[in-house]
Amino acid sequence: LEAISGWLNRYRERPKTFTSYGRIAERFYLWCLNERRVALSDIMETDVLAHREFLSAPPERWVGRHGVERSSAEWRPLRGALDPVSQRHTFVVLSGMFRALVEAGYLSINPADGVVPRMRLPSPRVNVSRRFTSDQWDILMSALAAAKDTPFTRRTKLVLLLGSTTGLRLSELALARIKDIRVETVDGEPEYILSVLGKGHKTRDVPISGEAKELIEAHHRDMES
């Protein structure tokens, strides 16, 4: 547990990652003790493969309801079988954990080192079916254009414009600040650049339109009034 905690502490400043990785590590550790009856230090490649089979069809005693508090006796580590994309994420995280435990001297080998590349699990992809059609987008824009000009409609226009034209992640959009906008001259014309803190705590620059900048400033005034 100390070894796992030491690895998890690397992600303390990234709460979502810390929670996600902690959930995966806890689930694997509980499985080692309760299903395989083996200590983490004795895990082998065959155990890693068995864990994948377990996640594909977990016993009912491992599956619980959504919304149950972690402290409840009814809590269970899983909500059902993991889909292939979730399995891929799980084993990428576990492989990283094993690698860290090898570096720390807790393990002599990474039991997932030769397994994960052969799993042929799909890489995560954007679900493009969860989007507005062209007709739906036109209806939405028409409704906004006809709506009364209020702070709510201005904020809605801003969110939709940034979401549809910049490729910002939801977390980046939520953390964007007006002070992070700067102006650069390109071919004699002003270009607005928004600096955002992205994945892995890396800063990246995103160009935004003049319309978006005006809506950001209007939203800023709405918040101050």
Side-chain angles (χ1 to χ4, degrees):
L1 285 175
E2 289 181 0
I4 294 174
S5 295
W7 164 71
L8 272 178
N9 278 334
R10 299 180 178 185
Y11 306 99
R12 280 281 181 192
E13 296 182 358
R14 296 160 58 185
K16 290 184 179 179
T17 301
F18 179 83
T19 300
S20 173
Y21 286 14
R23 181 168 54 247
I24 290 171
E26 178 187 41
R27 185 170 61 210
F28 181 74
Y29 186 67
L30 289 173
W31 175 83
C32 289
L33 298 180
N34 291 282
E35 296 293 329
R36 300 298 280 185
R37 305 291 181 182
V38 63
L40 188 66
S41 55
D42 295 326
I43 286 294
M44 301 177 65
E45 185 175 292
T46 52
D47 297 305
V48 177
L49 290 170
H51 190 57
R52 182 187 180 187
E53 295 178 5
F54 164 78
L55 294 175
S56 299
E60 287 187 9
R61 64 182 179 276
W62 281 78
V63 179
R65 296 179 291 105
H66 285 281
V68 177
E69 292 291 335
R70 178 65 182 79
S71 58
S72 171
E74 296 182 5
W75 177 86
R76 296 293 183 271
L78 289 163
R79 302 295 172 266
L82 296 191
D83 60 39
V85 171
S86 297
Q87 289 181 34
R88 180 183 187 279
H89 177 62
T90 291
F91 290 106
V92 168
V93 172
L94 289 177
S95 183
M97 181 184 76
F98 289 136
R99 192 179 307 115
L101 297 185
V102 170
E103 293 171 357
Y106 182 76
L107 298 179
S108 57
I109 61 169
N110 181 344
D113 198 32
V115 175
V116 175
R118 301 200 307 270
M119 283 185 169
R120 298 174 184 257
L121 293 170
S123 299
R125 286 176 169 77
V126 175
N127 184 358
V128 295
S129 65
R130 296 182 60 188
R131 61 181 176 85
F132 291 120
T133 65
S134 296
D135 289 341
Q136 289 170 335
W137 185 258
D138 289 343
I139 291 171
L140 182 59
M141 291 297 100
S142 297
L144 274 175
K148 184 179 179 181
D149 188 30
T150 66
F152 174 79
T153 55
R154 288 192 289 271
R155 184 175 70 240
T156 302
K157 288 177 183 177
L158 172 60
V159 171
L160 291 174
L161 182 62
L162 290 177
S164 64
T165 62
T166 63
L168 286 172
R169 298 182 179 90
L170 183 59
S171 59
E172 294 171 340
L173 182 60
L175 294 174
R177 297 292 181 267
I178 194 169
K179 65 181 179 60
D180 296 324
I181 299 175
R182 68 179 189 274
V183 182
E184 294 188 359
T185 302
V186 179
D187 293 332
E189 297 293 331
E191 292 289 340
Y192 299 104
I193 307 296
L194 174 64
S195 293
V196 296
L197 189 63
K199 194 172 182 180
H201 277 242
K202 295 180 180 178
T203 301
R204 66 188 183 104
D205 290 340
V206 179
I208 61 173
S209 66
E211 181 185 2
K213 181 178 180 294
E214 290 176 2
L215 284 171
I216 290 172
E217 291 173 341
H219 175 58
H220 189 66
R221 289 192 296 269
D222 289 336
M223 292 177 65
E224 290 182 330
S225 61

